[in-house]
Amino acid sequence: MAGGASPEPPGRETCSPLPAASPSCPGTPWHSCSSSPELTWLLQVLGAQVPMAPYRIRLYRDEDYAAVRSLFAHGIIEHAPAIYRHMLRSTRVQLGLLALFTAVRAAAGSWLLALAAVALVLAATWPMMRSFSTSYVQEALITDLCDIESSYMRAPDSCFWVVEADGAVVGMVAVAPPQDPAQRGEALELKRMSVSKNHRGHGISKALCGEVLRFAQARGYRAVMLYTSIVQVVAQRLYEKQGFRKVGATSPSLLASLVSFQIFHYRLELPGRP
């Protein structure tokens, strides 16, 4: 989207001031970073990063509702294959599959039946692993993402930003007081971070993270915390580069514990107010 920043909707005072623009090309705010179709094709063939159109970070609006929910759902569910692969690498799971193969082979005297039994178990575990993502999405869509305006734009010490490029919502992040009572009053929680696949690698996630950190610091909070899963390695690297440190890990369920699936807890201590 080119040109100056458009007027912000009512409720701006709830959130911290935003920069006029967050350009994907440093030093060229609101200049077009798009390329011709021929150049784009050539860059893709060569494996180079394709420049994207300029983007800006702004506050959430009611008309973003469907796009935000869709972006969040797709961003979480795309991790389901990674969760499945993580399960297959678990020593406990590998030993279980080996025991199953050995038992069926001994009982039936058939290598084919033993392999079929293992394949059947692997096929049955896919929807179970996928449920880690789908259940998380479903819970979010019926709770805070059901009424974003009330959950973030009108709630105290909360806010919701989206990233707009070419008139479309391509990124999002939220901040709110944490659910953990022990953290309330001293930390805010970074939540719902997501960037569309076609717009990754251009610093959008870093810019969104910066919005949350500035928001929390402006309100006198001592820290920002967040949760991310063990399979979201790229997200972990991003947060660690921003100064977050892993301070804990939990398994969300017994099944998750059995397959060594964990949720990591990150925290960043903010500098004191000037």
Side-chain angles (χ1 to χ4, degrees):
M1 181 174 181
S6 61
E8 295 296 344
R12 172 71 178 265
E13 66 277 1
T14 305
C15 301
S16 61
L18 302 178
S22 298
S24 55
C25 294
T28 58
W30 295 112
H31 290 183
S32 175
C33 298
S34 59
S35 56
S36 67
E38 294 81 5
L39 179 57
T40 297
W41 175 83
L42 178 60
L43 289 171
Q44 290 174 336
V45 169
L46 296 176
Q49 189 179 70
V50 180
M52 60 170 283
Y55 66 85
R56 69 165 181 147
I57 300 174
R58 61 169 174 80
L59 296 180
Y60 167 84
R61 300 171 184 162
D62 287 340
E63 57 264 33
D64 303 324
Y65 184 77
V68 160
R69 285 164 58 91
S70 176
L71 178 63
F72 172 77
H74 283 90
I76 295 298
I77 292 175
E78 74 178 38
H79 294 296
I83 296 174
Y84 187 71
R85 291 191 297 270
H86 176 78
M87 180 271 295
L88 294 178
R89 290 192 293 267
S90 167
T91 302
R92 186 177 293 139
V93 170
Q94 292 175 354
L95 290 175
L97 292 174
L98 179 61
L100 173 65
F101 177 86
T102 303
V104 174
R105 172 71 177 84
S110 169
W111 289 87
L112 185 60
L113 285 178
L115 289 173
V118 171
L120 184 62
V121 169
L122 289 175
T125 54
W126 162 245
M128 298 171 63
M129 295 300 101
R130 194 173 188 271
S131 71
F132 288 150
S133 296
T134 56
S135 61
Y136 180 73
V137 168
Q138 290 169 359
E139 180 182 5
L141 294 181
I142 63 174
T143 53
D144 59 301
L145 294 185
C146 180
D147 189 349
I148 300 171
E149 191 72 28
S150 295
S151 298
Y152 295 105
M153 304 309 292
R154 292 199 296 265
D157 291 340
S158 303
C159 198
F160 200 107
W161 297 270
V162 300
V163 179
E164 184 180 10
D166 288 333
V169 173
V170 301
M172 55 184 273
V173 73
V175 63
Q179 294 184 349
D180 183 359
Q183 302 283 348
R184 284 181 173 265
E186 70 169 35
L188 288 181
E189 181 179 351
L190 183 155
K191 306 177 64 175
R192 310 310 185 205
M193 170 85 82
S194 187
V195 176
S196 68
K197 274 188 174 182
N198 294 336
H199 294 82
R200 293 173 189 169
H202 297 279
I204 293 179
S205 295
K206 180 179 179 180
L208 287 171
C209 189
E211 290 292 341
V212 172
L213 298 183
R214 286 190 291 273
F215 180 90
Q217 188 173 16
R219 282 154 180 76
Y221 281 89
R222 295 172 49 194
V224 171
M225 53 171 288
L226 62 88
Y227 298 94
T228 190
S229 74
I230 192 172
V231 301
Q232 292 174 269
V233 179
V234 175
Q236 293 169 35
R237 290 172 182 164
L238 165 72
Y239 297 135
E240 289 168 2
K241 286 181 179 179
Q242 300 307 302
F244 284 87
R245 295 291 177 265
K246 192 193 311 181
V247 295
T250 58
S251 291
S253 66
L254 176 59
L255 175 60
S257 179
L258 290 174
V259 299
S260 303
F261 179 78
Q262 294 182 311
I263 301 297
F264 292 156
H265 177 193
Y266 278 85
R267 181 182 173 99
L268 183 150
E269 301 295 331
L270 295 170
R273 303 182 72 174

